């Protein structure tokens, strides 16, 4: 599998993990020290991976058979570092996420998520 395919698989894990409230998928997609940052409800929100997972699991999952929105707009890879811009939806809201990934021990993981919530 190419790096681009491997990164796409991680993004897919992330989007499906959010949509279907799949804790194991989210833990696999994100590095344990990952940070999630963006404006939410009028304030800058800084979350750890575990806080993000807890917030995700507090929402109802998408119905089985749902096809979550996942539009990868940009993938940029340089060695063991990568950046992905992806449009997705969660909890009835549309987001643009900027994901920073790092290849650690041969596996790509999300180390940072910067998000924009569309109004």
């Amino acid at each position: 599998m190419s790096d681009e395919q491997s990164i796409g698989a991680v993004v897919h894990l992330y989007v499906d993990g959010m949509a279907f409230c799949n804790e194991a998928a989210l833990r696999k997609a994100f590095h344990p020290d990952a940070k999630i940052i963006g404006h939410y409800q009028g304030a800058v929100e800084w979350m750890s991976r575990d806080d993000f997972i807890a917030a995700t699991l507090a929402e109802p999952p998408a119905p089985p058979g749902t096809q979550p929105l996942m539009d990868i707009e940009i993938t940029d890879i340089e060695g063991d570092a990568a950046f992905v811009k992806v449009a997705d939806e969660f909890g009835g809201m549309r987001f643009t996420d900027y994901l920073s990934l790092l290849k650690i021990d041969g596996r790509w993981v999300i180390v940072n998520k910067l998000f924009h919530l569309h109004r």
Side-chain angles (χ1 to χ4, degrees):
M1 185 179 294
S2 72
D3 282 333
E4 189 162 355
Q5 290 169 323
S6 296
I7 289 166
V10 171
V11 175
H12 189 79
L13 260 180
Y14 155 64
V15 171
D16 276 1
M18 275 196 318
F20 299 110
C21 299
N22 183 332
E23 181 176 356
L26 292 170
R27 288 193 181 283
K28 187 173 181 182
F30 283 89
H31 186 274
D33 293 326
K35 299 297 180 219
I36 294 82
I37 307 150
H39 286 99
Y40 187 73
Q41 296 183 344
V44 175
E45 182 172 73
W46 291 77
M47 290 189 290
S48 67
R49 177 193 72 171
D50 292 343
D51 291 341
F52 172 70
I53 291 172
T56 300
L57 297 178
E59 296 293 324
T66 300
Q67 181 64 40
L69 172 66
M70 182 180 86
D71 181 17
I72 296 176
E73 298 176 15
I74 298 170
T75 300
D76 185 17
I77 306 165
E78 190 65 45
D80 61 359
F83 158 80
V84 174
K85 178 181 178 185
V86 60
D88 53 64
E89 292 178 344
F90 177 71
M93 299 171 283
R94 185 177 174 99
F95 292 88
T96 297
D97 295 330
Y98 300 89
L99 307 174
S100 298
L101 294 94
L102 187 64
K103 193 174 195 179
I104 301 173
D105 297 329
R107 191 172 82 79
W108 289 99
V109 291
I110 300 168
V111 295
N112 188 66
K113 170 187 163 178
L114 178 65
F115 67 85
H116 169 73
L117 171 59
H118 295 267
R119 303 269 175 227

